[in-house]
């Protein structure tokens, strides 16, 4: 079994930043990147609101740079998915890829969040055949075609705007008569001629054949049911935190977000810290995730130092 002083789980902005700080503090961090190295940002196009990049930077570019910085400073960044965790006593027992066992003195959980789906059988049936939760990954396939985006938040507006630049027409399926998105994003979609917002509408079924999605059956609040013809169906209805592996030991809120103490990254389990979207139901930005990764590494350093004193 391998012994690790500072184990960081998750390769997004929170994890990489924790690795940068932990490396500089000589904590010999080991980071497992998980299923999606680089995290959710690798599925976005340009990031214009991450400070320090006057002309913006691509999501993948930002993540590659953060990772390279962590590696240069000495972090051991590895491919691998944590498949089970036992946080009942120290050192904590972690299993990677089903067979590699690790004993960790401290852990930073930075496993992020995953896109939500509506839960319709037809959505499952056409997943990867026209149903997607990432416009920037898959939008390219719908050049000059008609598509639909579900949701009314910032993500939905961003994805609709992005798709409007590629596709012929973009329908936004919005379940209320208002958008949840920021005013700037609302204005943007409302002023884009090839975006049509379908207010008070819910998706009843995704229609298709062996070639994939061909349309959506929609139920409006007034009871009217109608179909729209689309080739792509994009979900943008929020995310759920990837905390399942740890929630037996670590306190989570009603939505599954890990609860941290006050302004720290400390969880209720001494020696286990959380950073990034897995503990942030509110801000969920790359820059706030990075900042929380910094806090987590500093908290780990303090914790490991406190162990030495006894
Ligand atoms: P949000 O939770 O903000 O919005 C989710 C949207 O999906 C809401 O409009 C919601 O409707 C709708 N929705 C939820 N469940 C369903 C359902 N079952 N059927 C139909 N519609 C549904 O998630 P986002 O991912 O948009 O944003 C998350 C956070 O990230 C926010 O804080 C946002 O501001 C931020 N963000 C910031 C960006 C930026 O600054 N550039 C870009 C993207 C996100 P309802 O409103 O009725 O609840």
């Amino acid at each position: 079994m391998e012994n690790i002083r500072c184990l960081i789980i998750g390769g997004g902005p929170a994890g990489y930043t924790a690795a940068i700080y932990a490396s500089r503090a000589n904590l010999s961090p080991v980071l497992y990147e998980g299923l999606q190295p680089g995290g959710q940002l690798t599925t976005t196009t340009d990031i214009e609101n991450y400070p320090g990049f006057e002309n913006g930077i691509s999501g993948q570019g930002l993540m590659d740079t953060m990772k390279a910085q962590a590696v240069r400073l000495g972090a051991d960044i590895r491919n691998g998915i944590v498949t089970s965790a036992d946080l009942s006593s120290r050192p904590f027992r972690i299993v990677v890829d089903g067979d590699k066992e690790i004993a960790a003195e401290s852990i930073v959980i930075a496993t992020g969040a995953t896109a939500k789906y509506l839960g319709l059988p037809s959505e499952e049936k056409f997943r990867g055949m026209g149903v997607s939760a990432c416009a920037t990954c898959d939008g390219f396939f719908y050049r000059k075609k008609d598509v639909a985006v579900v949701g009314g938040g910032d993500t939905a507006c961003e994805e609709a705007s992005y798709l409007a630049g590629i596709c012929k027409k973009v329908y936004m399926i919005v379940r209320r008569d208002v958008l949840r998105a920021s005013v700037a994003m609302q204005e943007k979609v409302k002023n884009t001629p090839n975006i049509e917002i379908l207010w008070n509408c819910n998706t009843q079924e995704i229609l298709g054949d062996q070639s994939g999605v061909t349309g959506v059956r929609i139920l409006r609040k007034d009871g009217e049911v109608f179909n729209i013809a689309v080739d792509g169906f994009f979900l943008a209805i929020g995310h759920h935190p990837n905390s399942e592996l740890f929630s037996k030991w670590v306190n989570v809120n009603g939505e599954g977000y890990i609860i941290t103490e006050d302004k720290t990254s400390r969880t209720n389990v001494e020696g286990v810290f959380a950073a990034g979207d897995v503990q942030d139901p509110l801000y969920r930005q790359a820059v706030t995730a990075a900042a929380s990764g910094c806090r987590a590494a500093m908290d780990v350093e303090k914790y490991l130092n406190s162990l030495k004193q006894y």
Side-chain angles (χ1 to χ4, degrees), residues 42-45 128-149 158-170 194 231-235:
T42 57
T43 65
T44 66
T45 46
M129 291 175 65
V131 171
S132 164
C134 178
T136 46
C137 317
D138 301 326
F140 167 79
F141 300 113
Y142 303 95
R143 224 175 120 72
K144 299 209 166 95
K145 293 182 173 173
D146 293 352
V147 297
V149 176
E158 236 178 34
E159 304 229 331
S161 302
Y162 172 74
L163 289 166
I166 300 172
C167 305
K168 193 162 86 197
K169 174 156 190 166
V170 180
N194 62 337
D231 293 293
F233 181 84
F234 291 89
L235 289 127

Side-chain angles (χ1 to χ4, degrees), residues 190-210:
K190 286 176 184 169
N191 292 324
T192 304
N194 62 337
I195 297 180
E196 181 181 341
I197 304 178
L198 303 173
W199 301 105
N200 294 310
C201 284
N202 272 302
T203 304
Q204 230 182 19
E205 198 183 344
I206 297 153
L207 311 169
D209 54 29
Q210 64 283 359

Side-chain angles (χ1 to χ4, degrees), residues 219-235:
L219 169 64
R220 207 164 44 206
K221 252 192 197 140
D222 61 11
E224 194 190 339
V225 177
F226 59 97
N227 293 350
I228 54 170
V230 293
D231 293 293
F233 181 84
F234 291 89
L235 289 127

Side-chain angles (χ1 to χ4, degrees), residues 59-76:
Q60 186 70 57
L62 180 62
M63 289 300 93
D64 290 348
T65 307
M66 272 192 206
K67 178 175 172 177
Q69 187 179 357
V71 169
R72 182 179 71 77
L73 292 167
D76 181 352

Side-chain angles (χ1 to χ4, degrees), residues 49 118 151-155 158 175-176 180 237 282 284-285:
N49 52 11
L118 293 169
D154 278 318
T155 304
E158 236 178 34
R175 66 179 174 182
R176 291 189 293 152
R180 182 183 289 271
I237 59 169
L282 220 52
R284 294 183 282 195
Q285 300 298 296

Side-chain angles (χ1 to χ4, degrees), residues 40-56:
Q40 289 182 75
L41 279 193
T42 57
T43 65
T44 66
T45 46
D46 288 341
I47 298 172
E48 298 206 313
N49 52 11
Y50 197 90
F53 298 92
E54 186 186 355
N55 300 311

